[in-house]
Structures are given as structure tokens and as C-alpha cells.
Amino acid sequence: MHVLIIEDDLRLSQALRHIMQESGYDVDLVHDGADGLAWAESGIYDVIVCDVMLPKKDGFSLVAELRRGGVSTPVLMLTARDAVSDKVCGLDSGADTYLTKPFAPAELMANIRALVRRQGEVVFEKLEAGDVVLDLTSEDLVCGERDIHLSHKEFELAQVLVANAGSVVPKGVIIDKVWGVDSSAEDNNVEAYVSFLRKKLRYVGSSAKIEALRKVGYRLVASDEAAGGASC
């Protein structure tokens, strides 16, 4: 399961990530509301854990904007404020549940498991863009009758690009999501895996193209009418 934590308290955010990783979850971590919204909009997460008091954009506004944009990922809101009016505001903004600090790790994980169970039948098993299908269970890339298994890094890169098909994903965002925010990965790592993924798209016969926008990032164009981006 893939969890996004949006929390500006560095010590708490690291503790939350440790708790969830011990339960076998893949965890991404961001520290302000603006970045949190950008990452959450990708739609690749099973659960979002979001603090209320965040720099740049508060949790209430963040969740409301996600819901207006059609992102239905379950959201667990964290706050030190336990007033009923705050809880009502959070839930009315589109959050699924509300947890007041301080809380026990067991309570946190029980809430996350409940959200996943509640999500049930709407958990996505595939991502699609044009003729490309990415199987999130097997990590296979599929086009028509052909398929090929991806390495884990290729799969994570494909997940980011397919989930954001048609939009440019900056190289820095790709590095953070595929290698992690604390990694030493560089642009040439991204370029190498983009090359691997392009070859596998050709192998399955997909018309989708990965465009490179120099010094910016990459975009998956799910048709033959690629806009002529540079290759690298």
C-alpha cells in the first residue's frame, strides 16, 4: 500500500513514516500544503495522512481542492485541535476521518486499515492512458495482447507518468517519488530509466511516447500525435 504523509513537523513526520514502513507500507513524505496537493493530485496513493496546520496551504483547503478535482483518495486528517467545529470543518472539506494529537501508533494504524477496508471495491488495480495499461498488482506493462514485466524502478516511473499522462512531471518530482526524497539519485538516473521504459513501450507495441522537455521533465503522450519533445 502506498501512503502520502503531509506533515510539517519533521520529527513527527519521520516517526509516522517509520511506523508505516514497519507495517510494510510504501511511504512518501512532504512538508507543506502546496507540495502535498501536487503529490496527492497524482492519484497514485491508497491513503493520504494530512496535518491541518501546514505552511503554504492548510489541510482543510488542500482536501477541499482535491475533492473538487475529482481525487477520491481516502484522507486521514491529523490535528492538535480537538474542537468539534474543527472536526466538522475537516469532514465537510472532504476528509474521511479525523485523529487528534497525541495518538498511539496502534490507533493511527487502525484508522488507516479502516479507511482501506471502507475503500474496498474502489481501490484501483490498473492505471490506463491511451492504449497503455499498467497493472498495479503484477507490475506489468500491457498493450492489447502483449505485456512485459517491469523492474520495480521502471514500474514506479511508469506509475508516475501514466497517472499524470499529458502533464509534464519535473525531474525533481520523479526523483523524489521513484528514488525517495533522501536519495542521491540524479538526472542521469531518470534518463536511464526513461530509456528503459521507452524500450518496453515499443516492445508491447504502444503508440504512447515519453517526451523530454529539456531542463524541465518528462510527459507521457498517449497517442501518435506527440508534440515533438526532445529525446534524451
Side-chain angles (χ1 to χ4, degrees):
M1 188 167 69
H2 203 173
V3 179
L4 175 65
I5 299 172
I6 310 170
E7 169 61 64
D8 63 323
D9 184 314
L10 299 183
R11 291 182 62 184
L12 177 57
S13 62
Q14 293 291 345
L16 291 172
R17 178 162 64 178
H18 178 71
I19 291 166
M20 294 181 197
Q21 287 177 335
E22 282 194 326
S23 295
Y25 298 168
D26 291 324
V27 180
D28 290 329
L29 185 61
V30 294
H31 301 296
D32 67 66
D35 285 345
L37 177 63
W39 285 51
E41 285 176 332
S42 69
I44 66 173
Y45 297 100
D46 298 296
V47 174
I48 297 168
V49 178
C50 181
D51 193 15
V52 170
M53 301 300 293
L54 292 167
K56 299 186 180 180
K57 183 181 291 289
D58 67 84
F60 297 150
S61 301
L62 187 158
V63 175
E65 193 162 339
L66 278 181
R67 298 310 187 223
R68 287 195 297 271
V71 178
S72 59
T73 308
V75 176
L76 168 63
M77 298 202 79
L78 302 177
T79 184
R81 306 189 305 191
D82 60 359
V84 171
S85 59
D86 289 332
K87 294 182 179 181
V88 170
C89 184
L91 296 172
D92 283 348
S93 296
D96 295 88
T97 190
Y98 207 103
L99 195 57
T100 304
K101 304 173 187 176
F103 48 81
E107 183 183 11
L108 170 69
M109 298 310 299
N111 273 272
I112 289 176
R113 290 192 297 270
L115 286 178
V116 174
R117 288 195 301 271
R118 193 182 309 166
Q119 196 181 16
E121 68 280 359
V122 300
V123 174
F124 295 109
E125 295 182 354
K126 295 179 180 179
L127 285 175
E128 299 184 29
D131 60 8
V132 175
V133 177
L134 186 64
D135 191 311
L136 304 184
T137 302
S138 65
E139 301 191 0
D140 289 344
L141 184 71
V142 183
C143 179
E145 298 299 317
R146 302 197 72 176
D147 64 83
I148 189 170
H149 186 68
L150 303 179
S151 72
H152 190 60
K153 282 288 184 286
E154 289 171 344
F155 168 74
E156 290 188 324
L157 172 62
Q159 194 173 11
V160 172
L161 293 176
V162 173
N164 294 280
S167 300
V168 178
V169 184
K171 286 184 178 179
V173 171
I174 292 174
I175 289 172
D176 287 348
K177 291 189 176 183
V178 177
W179 282 269
V181 294
D182 299 321
S183 78
S184 58
E186 298 180 350
D187 287 359
N188 61 333
N189 297 101
V190 180
E191 292 162 9
Y193 276 88
V194 165
S195 177
F196 299 154
L197 189 55
R198 282 175 173 151
K199 291 177 182 177
K200 293 193 173 179
L201 284 168
R202 289 195 294 269
Y203 174 83
V204 297
S206 173
S207 62
K209 308 295 182 185
I210 301 176
E211 294 183 345
L213 283 79
R214 294 192 184 280
K215 299 183 180 180
V216 181
Y218 293 91
R219 171 173 54 202
L220 181 76
V221 179
S223 75
D224 286 322
E225 299 179 356
S231 295
C232 66

